[in-house]
Amino acid sequence: MIVDITPQNFHAELIDASMKKPVVIYFHAPQMPECQGMTPLIESLVGPANEQVTLAKVDMNDPQLQPLASQLGLRALEARHAEQPDDFALAQELAVQYNQAGRQEEALGLLLEILKRDLAFGDARKTYLDILATMGSTPAAQSYRRKLYSLLY
């Protein structure tokens, strides 16, 4: 589920909703080129029909919502680009969240992309194996095991 946070729906869509399910808060500024590229990616990762996780989009151009960013300790909007090495950390963190939301195949897909570029990155391999272990011997798990083995050997 994806919602645009406004001063009017802030309490219901952010505070109350976070008591029932995970809420990912995405601070953005639509006029910024970094956000224009990142927003569709983040929206596609959460998915508009996902009932297990809510993506709460906070437009930083709204002066009434700017105090929320400072309350949460956000000092500046950080631009992340796919070609930056620290993007792996973001993708790994997102994969963990996918797994927690029951979207194991999407989590494995993200982790596999990390491992294709850097087999030793962080906990990506361990997280990948942990997710596979929870999936048992399903056809999807077997497929992702083969993909990992092809990288390792």
Side-chain angles (χ1 to χ4, degrees):
M1 176 183 217
I2 299 173
V3 296
D4 289 309
I5 299 301
T6 64
Q8 293 75 29
N9 73 1
F10 168 80
H11 198 275
E13 297 292 348
L14 195 60
I15 306 299
D16 293 345
S18 69
M19 301 297 180
K20 299 174 189 153
K21 62 182 176 179
V23 176
V24 176
I25 304 171
Y26 172 52
F27 293 94
H28 68 106
Q31 78 280 6
M32 299 299 295
E34 296 86 356
C35 294
Q36 291 170 1
M38 187 64 70
T39 299
L41 174 65
I42 290 174
E43 288 177 346
S44 71
L45 293 174
V46 172
N50 186 347
E51 294 300 321
Q52 296 177 358
V53 177
T54 295
L55 173 63
K57 294 172 33 183
V58 179
D59 185 347
M60 293 309 301
N61 292 324
D62 187 332
Q64 292 179 309
L65 294 173
Q66 290 174 358
L68 174 63
S70 61
Q71 287 174 355
L72 295 174
L74 183 68
R75 301 263 187 253
L77 292 174
E78 181 178 337
R80 294 189 181 254
H81 302 280
E83 59 272 7
Q84 292 178 342
D86 66 350
D87 191 55
F88 286 169
L90 177 64
Q92 182 175 318
E93 184 178 323
L94 186 58
V96 169
Q97 291 175 1
Y98 270 163
N99 183 46
Q100 292 170 347
R103 297 169 67 174
Q104 285 85 6
E105 288 186 52
E106 289 166 284
L108 290 171
L110 277 174
L111 292 168
L112 186 63
E113 289 305 311
I114 293 170
L115 294 172
K116 283 179 181 177
R117 292 189 232 157
D118 184 355
L119 208 56
F121 180 79
D123 292 331
R125 188 172 8 175
K126 180 188 178 311
T127 304
Y128 190 97
L129 292 170
D130 289 346
I131 294 170
L132 283 175
T134 65
M135 293 176 70
S137 61
T138 64
Q142 291 172 350
S143 171
Y144 278 101
R145 275 189 191 92
R146 284 191 297 274
K147 291 175 183 179
L148 177 62
Y149 295 155
S150 69
L151 288 177
L152 295 174
Y153 303 107

